[in-house]
Amino acid sequence: MENSVVMKFGGSSVETIEKMQKIAKRIIKKKETFKNVVVVVSAMGKTTNQLLEMAKQAAKYPSKREIDLLISTGEQVSIALLTMILNENDFEAVALTGFQAGIKTGGLHTKNKILDIDTTNIEKHLNQGKIAVVAGFQGLNDAGDITTLGRGGSDTTAVAIAAKLGCSAEIYTDVDGIYGVDPRLYPNAKKLDIISYEEMKEMAFLGAKVMEPRSIEIGHRYQVPIYVQSSIHEIEGTLIKEYTKVEEKSVTGLSISEKVMMVTIKNYPSYATDIAKLFIALAENEVNVDMISQTPTEIGFINLSFTAGADDLEAVDEVIEHIMSQYQNVEAVKNINVVKVSVVGTGMRTQSGVAAQLFKLLADNGIDFMLVTTSEISISYTIDKKLMKRAVEVISEKFGL
Ligand code: ADP
Ligand code: ASP
Ligand code: MG
């Protein structure tokens, strides 16, 4: 659709009615420039966390279908209130749930994916001159059940709608843009004017929660320009787009993932069939295994370490219990006091020695690491949580982030 834009406001930007009134002003101003304005909103403040907490109180193992039903209500509160505010200001607006906005999902409850969007209803309202206010983070699956897109999923809703309408997505949040490293962890961090989809995707997957990783994947696939900026200050933000730097720095950003758990299984049989059995059991329990390393101990046995998301603790416990009942002498040690620190940069493709520089830097600063993995454009280390602040400081200083 010609002359369209998608604006997305995150939880902290719609935390109170007062904040909604402020963003309503920005939306109204946008409507002066764009004929078609679609607004995507998240749940107010920490609503999603509070709802999840209530589910935990209601049941030890709450059903995922009902968790989705519960947490999708957060965004519905926001769209209704924001629409009332826009209408109150004499601007015609309509609140649409994920279903009403034509968002079709498929996959697992609470970790769902957008399959397609039928924008007929959104377009109908836009053509009538209304501002369409769409609930982020939710859709409807083939079975007619409400599903959610995983934490931070409103970004994905916004970028997917922008892809479908062929316009750009403006992400309004509580930071002024994308920084080389989370400014809450390193206050001297520098804001980036521009970042490529590829680097942003890697940073997001490795823990930079400013953007949900899948939203960048969709943005990349459909070449949606994504502009991240402050919902409070009207200053330049960061543009995410296809882009090749003229002169590349080896490292563009540093991501931290704090919700990590490391598991070491000692005296495990080294045969491929046994190792496969463990990882199949983890996969069947929906545990997303990330880093893996193994070291031989005596003939036929290994110590095997892997990391997974801290949220998967219960699922991992179940698998370990099952495994330990099958093998003698197997011991399992879980460590939740770890974080994953990752440096990202497409410059690593052409510039060698980044790993060496990092190893030396960590060694010089007494920062021991446990597991290391690399991709073409990133290097990740797991370290003790207590060393995180120091690691962020020395790496950011060294690479000028
Ligand atoms: P929203 O509620 O608007 O979706 P989020 O809390 O999901 O906002 O994301 C914004 C937060 O992301 C910031 O407050 C910041 O602490 C964090 N963040 C992590 N990494 C970065 C980074 N590299 N640049 C900017 N912010 C980052
Ligand atoms: N409200 C959801 C969450 O807290 C989705 C979002 O904010 O993007 O994860
Ligand atoms: Mg977010």
Side-chain angles (χ1 to χ4, degrees), residues 8 10-11 42-43 45 48-49 71 75 136-137 150-155:
K8 179 256 168 180
S42 295
T48 312
N49 286 350
I71 59 179
E75 271 66 16
F137 181 54
R151 299 308 303 268
S154 297
D155 294 335

Side-chain angles (χ1 to χ4, degrees), residues 1-69:
M1 264 187 127
E2 292 252 312
N3 209 357
S4 308
V5 69
V6 176
M7 305 170 84
K8 179 256 168 180
F9 295 89
S12 58
S13 313
V14 293
E15 204 173 6
T16 58
I17 301 286
E18 210 188 342
K19 286 196 176 175
M20 284 195 200
Q21 282 162 338
K22 287 212 176 102
I23 64 161
K25 289 209 178 84
R26 282 189 95 162
I27 296 167
I28 289 167
K29 209 165 145 199
K30 195 58 65 174
K31 187 81 172 97
E32 287 167 9
T33 335
F34 288 90
K35 183 167 167 277
N36 305 307
V37 178
V38 178
V39 179
V40 173
V41 276
S42 295
M44 294 170 77
K46 302 257 176 277
T47 303
T48 312
N49 286 350
Q50 286 157 3
L51 291 169
L52 282 169
E53 202 43 54
M54 281 158 79
K56 261 198 217 154
Q57 286 170 24
K60 194 163 174 219
Y61 299 110
S63 51
K64 293 206 165 161
R65 179 182 179 277
E66 277 63 36
I67 290 185
D68 269 351
L69 185 61

Side-chain angles (χ1 to χ4, degrees), residues 196-207:
S196 67
Y197 293 115
E198 192 184 14
E199 286 183 323
M200 189 63 237
K201 193 161 52 177
E202 192 84 352
M203 277 180 71
F205 268 115
L206 293 169

Side-chain angles (χ1 to χ4, degrees), residues 8 10-11 42 151-155 171 173 209-212:
K8 179 256 168 180
S42 295
R151 299 308 303 268
S154 297
D155 294 335
I171 309 290
T173 183
K209 81 159 190 162
V210 60
M211 287 300 295
E212 203 277 335

Side-chain angles (χ1 to χ4, degrees), residues 345-361:
T346 39
M348 281 183 218
R349 276 204 189 101
T350 47
Q351 295 171 41
S352 55
V354 179
Q357 284 180 57
L358 276 164
F359 281 126
K360 179 157 188 332
L361 188 68

